[in-house]
Amino acid sequence: MDVLVVGAGLAGLHTARLLARRDLSVMVVDSRRSLSSGIRTTGIFVRRTLDDFDLPDHLLGPGVRDVLLYPPSRRAPVRLTSDRDEYRVADMAGVYGHARRAAEEAGARVVLGVRYIGASTGLVRFAGAEPVTARFVVGADGARSRVARDLGLDVNRRMLVGAEIVHPIASGTTDPAFHCVLDPRVAPGYLGWVIDDGRHAHVGVAGYPGGMRTGVRHLLDEFAADAPGRAAPAGPIERRGGPIPVGGVLRRLACPAGLLVGDAAGAVSPLTAGGLDPCLRMSELAAAVTAGYLRTGDQRILSRYDGGALRARFRGRLLLRRVFAGIRSPAAAEAAVALLRGRAGRRVAARVLFGDGSFPDVGPLLASPAIDHP
């Protein structure tokens, strides 16, 4: 086998499809028995992703143009309105199924219910399955990547923890809007949110675990009890959650034995904590670098998959992440939202929420003559 991809999330499946299209033999493994279980993302796709990638429209909810930013008091939110659809919430179980089919149609083999244990000198071991040999391993196994440790690559150290409830809503009960609450009592260092896809409401909180004295699940229940913009459940409630890396793209992402993509690579906006756009963009680069390296054996090609170069584009957002983390009291959060009500504050907020700079463009790296193109 040429490439083993560990993790059948969006990053792993997209990378596998691109590699299989380059006539490499690719296998994807995931410990989950169903891709509709263990979902850890709200599924919010931003305009830039919707413009640049061919996503299944029937799996996307209505466009969202309004963002409301609330202080802890929930009074007088700042409303920002775009003249374009900025967000759409996806049915992620459907998106994963679509991505799996696309990978398999390209020639990749996807095997579920297989847990990765470790890899050494080309031999990959699993729990409950026979080992396989692979020339290269792609770690798409999440924020706490086991593959990263086995390959001696960098690992995520700065993380938020998030939790969310998802439930059906009655048709026509809400207007498309993204409600964001800045309140360090329930979401220290980040936000509480409410958004829906036209069929389901997503209500969540995330923050630094050290600041969550009563635990993320308890804080989510507390927030959901009176979350602004939430419609009443019209069916069963699903719970999601997991770690969110916010330290920026890791520096050392590749070695001759493999590389990292998605959350395993820290490919998440350090300010907004959005990871779907970064995972798709970095998967494009990862597939091109992997194919070029396996085709030529030239280790210099791996240097194109350079986390340091991408990380340099994050300086401003990493600084804002530290500022965000420093908002530790309701009074400070009220003051921060008050600043956003002014012209300059609204301009900054609109740039963060509606701008195109959430993740660096990998295009220049893809343009290298050393990179393999399909």
Side-chain angles (χ1 to χ4, degrees):
M1 176 194 317
D2 293 315
V3 183
L4 175 76
V5 179
V6 181
L10 196 56
L13 291 169
H14 189 56
T15 305
R17 179 175 72 88
L18 295 173
L19 289 169
R21 285 174 55 188
R22 290 169 165 85
D23 296 324
L24 294 170
S25 58
V26 182
M27 178 178 175
V28 184
V29 297
D30 196 292
S31 60
R32 295 175 294 167
R33 296 188 178 278
S34 168
L35 296 185
S36 63
S37 66
I39 296 173
R40 294 188 172 186
T41 176
T42 299
I44 301 174
F45 285 94
V46 299
R47 174 174 47 80
R48 188 177 177 214
T49 320
L50 297 168
D51 289 345
D52 292 350
F53 293 92
D54 184 20
L55 298 169
D57 190 74
H58 68 285
L59 296 175
L60 299 170
V64 176
R65 299 187 176 195
D66 291 319
V67 177
L68 287 84
L69 302 172
Y70 298 79
S73 66
R74 318 288 172 88
R75 293 192 295 267
V78 177
R79 179 184 287 268
L80 301 170
T81 301
S82 174
D83 58 1
R84 300 174 289 185
D85 291 345
E86 296 289 346
Y87 305 99
R88 294 180 72 181
V89 184
D91 168 7
M92 287 308 296
V95 168
Y96 290 143
H98 180 272
R100 176 184 181 175
R101 290 189 294 274
E104 291 177 329
E105 287 169 3
R109 181 185 175 205
V110 180
V111 182
L112 304 182
V114 172
R115 182 167 61 86
Y116 167 89
I117 292 179
S120 177
T121 61
L123 184 68
V124 186
R125 303 182 308 281
F126 307 109
E130 292 297 315
V132 300
T133 57
R135 296 171 62 196
F136 204 74
V137 178
V138 172
D141 53 334
R144 298 190 177 103
S145 171
R146 174 68 182 268
V147 173
R149 297 180 187 279
D150 289 345
L151 297 181
L153 300 173
D154 286 351
V155 297
N156 294 295
R157 302 194 183 280
R158 296 187 61 196
M159 287 187 276
L160 306 176
V161 61
E164 182 179 71
I165 57 174
V166 183
H167 58 73
I169 56 174
S171 176
T173 56
T174 61
D175 294 321
F178 192 179
H179 301 266
C180 301
V181 179
L182 179 60
D183 186 346
R185 295 171 298 185
V186 296
Y190 193 57
L191 298 166
W193 65 88
V194 177
I195 193 170
D196 71 67
D197 60 10
R199 297 178 298 275
H200 296 83
H202 298 252
V203 184
V205 298
Y208 289 105
M212 293 180 164
R213 293 184 177 85
T214 58
V216 66
R217 180 164 180 160
H218 179 271
L219 292 175
L220 171 59
D221 291 341
E222 180 182 327
F223 173 72
D226 63 350
R230 183 188 179 190
I237 292 176
E238 171 194 351
R239 287 187 177 267
R240 300 178 179 178
I244 307 167
V246 289
V249 178
L250 300 174
R251 289 182 173 85
R252 189 160 184 260
L253 296 174
C255 68
L259 55 70
L260 308 175
V261 294
D263 283 7
V268 173
S269 171
L271 180 57
T272 66
L276 294 176
D277 182 78
C279 88
L280 289 172
R281 293 186 193 280
M282 281 194 68
S283 294
E284 302 266 337
L285 179 59
V289 165
T290 298
Y293 167 62
L294 292 178
R295 176 173 51 82
T296 65
D298 185 352
Q299 294 186 18
R300 292 174 298 179
I301 294 175
L302 296 174
S303 67
R304 291 288 177 178
Y305 198 60
D306 182 7
L310 293 170
R311 188 180 178 84
R313 297 283 302 278
F314 276 130
R315 289 193 185 102
R317 288 174 182 264
L318 286 167
L319 175 61
L320 288 173
R321 160 53 44 198
R322 289 193 287 271
V323 172
F324 209 166
I327 300 175
R328 299 181 181 178
S329 70
E334 291 280 349
V337 175
L339 287 174
L340 298 179
R341 293 193 178 99
R343 181 178 298 176
R346 293 175 71 88
R347 187 162 54 245
V348 170
R351 183 175 179 181
V352 170
L353 293 166
F354 300 153
D356 290 331
S358 63
F359 192 77
D361 183 11
V362 301
L365 294 173
L366 279 168
S368 167
I371 295 294
D372 183 271
H373 297 276

